[in-house]
Amino acid sequence: MLRYLLPIAACLLSLGCSAQNAKSTTPHNELYYQRATLFNQLPVDTCDIVFLGDSQTHGCEWHELFGMP
């Protein structure tokens, strides 16, 4: 029984790996496109502040920390 189970498991794993690689047809992930759409719709002001960083910078509520509405 184990002799049949191992090849079947290997086939299923290889199918899963190829399916994950196949769906990556865009150069960026979904979050990138969501944020780009949001930033394209927001107005730009000369008083705006830009933060560059990683997911920790993205996850912070900066308007709350600086007391902005």
Side-chain angles (χ1 to χ4, degrees):
M1 180 72 169
L2 183 60
R3 141 176 94 163
Y4 298 112
L5 188 59
L6 194 56
I8 292 172
C11 288
L12 290 175
L13 285 174
S14 67
L15 288 175
C17 292
S18 65
Q20 287 178 352
N21 293 337
K23 69 179 177 180
S24 178
T25 58
T26 58
H28 303 290
N29 63 15
E30 185 177 343
L31 177 63
Y32 173 86
Y33 293 110
Q34 290 173 352
R35 300 299 288 179
T37 302
L38 172 67
F39 294 141
N40 285 333
Q41 293 177 358
L42 292 174
V44 178
D45 190 7
T46 57
C47 299
D48 289 341
I49 300 171
V50 176
F51 288 92
L52 300 177
D54 56 9
S55 61
Q56 292 176 338
T57 308
H58 168 73
C60 185
E61 299 293 338
W62 294 104
H63 64 282
E64 291 180 3
L65 291 174
F66 288 108
M68 304 163 104

